[in-house]
Amino acid sequence: MDRSSAGPGDGLLTPPEMSVSMDFHTDCDAGNVLAMFIQSMALVGGSQYVANFTAVYRDLLESYPEALTVLAEDWVWEKAHRPAPGRTVLRQFRRPIIAIENGRPQIHFARAFLLANNNHEDDVKASEPLSKTRPDALEALTRSANIHAVRLDQQVGDMVFINNFGVLHAREQFVDSPTDPARRRHILRLQLHDTEFGWPSAQTLKRSLQEQFAYAPSKHGLLTATEWMQLPRANRTYAYGVDGYESHD
């Protein structure tokens, strides 16, 4: 289990908190910087990989330009918003996966949020049917990201900073030690938005950053790691403006 976002009083685990592998994605509706502190590593596996989307974009431009056209179209998304503990609101909206901003390709992508690609039959019926090219475009994107993947050589104590608008990240499956806490994967993750040096968000991608970062000073504060881990995830969202459910690593 990845304890980077788990806490007391939580319900079912989400994929980021489980030991399963995670395909290439970005943290959606998050800032332009993903920061991670490697507190401890798994007994086996758990390596993280990154892929520069500019390299992926150039690859697709040469080998499959139709995929870029499809990825730049509006897709149906669905995300769960939790404005308060015990309350969940499902939102559906349309936006593309890729865009160009200041001459640089940007990507905003997590397959789980693309409604027409969910495994739930009711969701698929409620959404527009996928054209034949859309699954192909997603497969081409994932395939190219794997070709350009770089494994991060991480050690305990490392700090990792990723350009969340221009770099995809993925994680392999892992196994924790049943007896040694020092060999249980524990990644502390923080989503940042650097308005001075970070990339501005492409407007056509319609990232929703207000819910993450537009908080009144009365809600600002610092917690110790122990205090943070004692908070149920739903309370983190309500009291501190941090969504502990939909984060990825």
Side-chain angles (χ1 to χ4, degrees):
M1 172 181 165
D2 177 3
R3 282 154 300 282
S4 58
S5 57
D10 297 327
L12 296 175
L13 296 177
T14 57
E17 301 154 8
M18 301 168 67
S19 61
V20 298
S21 62
M22 297 184 67
D23 291 335
F24 276 104
H25 62 279
T26 63
D27 280 18
C28 293
D29 295 307
N32 50 23
V33 178
L34 171 62
M36 291 180 285
F37 173 68
I38 314 302
Q39 181 164 318
S40 58
M41 301 178 69
L43 182 65
V44 178
S47 293
Q48 292 178 309
Y49 296 81
V50 294
N52 186 335
F53 181 60
T54 297
V56 172
Y57 185 93
R58 290 172 177 169
D59 181 14
L60 294 177
L61 186 62
E62 180 177 344
S63 63
Y64 191 5
E66 296 85 356
L68 296 177
T69 301
V70 172
L71 294 171
E73 297 173 352
D74 276 347
W75 292 61
V76 180
W77 292 58
E78 181 176 274
K79 289 190 67 180
H81 173 59
R82 297 170 176 86
R87 183 185 174 201
T88 300
V89 178
L90 290 179
R91 297 172 172 173
Q92 287 189 21
F93 42 90
R94 296 172 182 270
R95 59 186 177 187
I97 295 172
I98 67 171
I100 301 292
E101 181 73 15
N102 294 333
R104 296 180 294 204
Q106 288 193 21
I107 184 164
H108 186 223
F109 171 64
R111 189 186 290 255
F113 297 140
L114 300 177
L115 183 58
N117 294 284
N118 290 347
N119 293 323
H120 304 293
E121 184 177 352
D122 291 342
D123 289 342
V124 174
K125 288 180 180 178
S127 67
E128 294 181 350
L130 281 177
S131 67
K132 183 178 179 181
T133 56
R134 288 203 165 187
D136 292 341
L138 292 180
E139 290 306 315
L141 171 62
T142 301
R143 182 169 58 251
S144 182
N146 280 290
I147 291 173
H148 294 282
V150 175
R151 179 180 176 273
L152 298 181
D153 184 15
Q154 295 174 333
Q155 304 294 328
V156 172
D158 283 352
M159 290 286 294
V160 180
F161 297 90
I162 296 174
N163 176 359
N164 190 48
F165 290 0
V167 176
L168 296 141
H169 60 280
R171 183 192 72 197
E172 69 179 5
Q173 184 177 3
F174 64 91
V175 177
D176 281 338
S177 169
T179 57
D180 184 1
R183 297 309 306 271
R184 296 174 185 168
R185 191 174 188 273
H186 192 165
I187 310 296
L188 299 179
R189 180 173 52 251
L190 186 63
Q191 295 172 341
L192 307 173
H193 192 61
D194 186 341
T195 57
E196 183 175 0
F197 299 107
W199 285 14
S201 178
Q203 292 187 2
T204 55
L205 293 180
K206 304 174 186 176
R207 291 186 178 96
S208 178
L209 303 179
Q210 293 299 311
E211 291 169 2
Q212 288 275 27
F213 301 103
Y215 280 84
S218 60
K219 286 197 173 184
H220 294 181
L222 296 174
L223 298 176
T224 66
T226 300
E227 291 170 335
W228 176 256
M229 294 306 296
Q230 290 174 347
L231 282 175
R233 288 174 297 168
N235 286 353
R236 298 175 192 174
T237 304
Y238 179 70
Y240 296 96
V242 179
D243 190 338
Y245 283 88
E246 296 174 353
S247 55
H248 294 271
D249 72 343

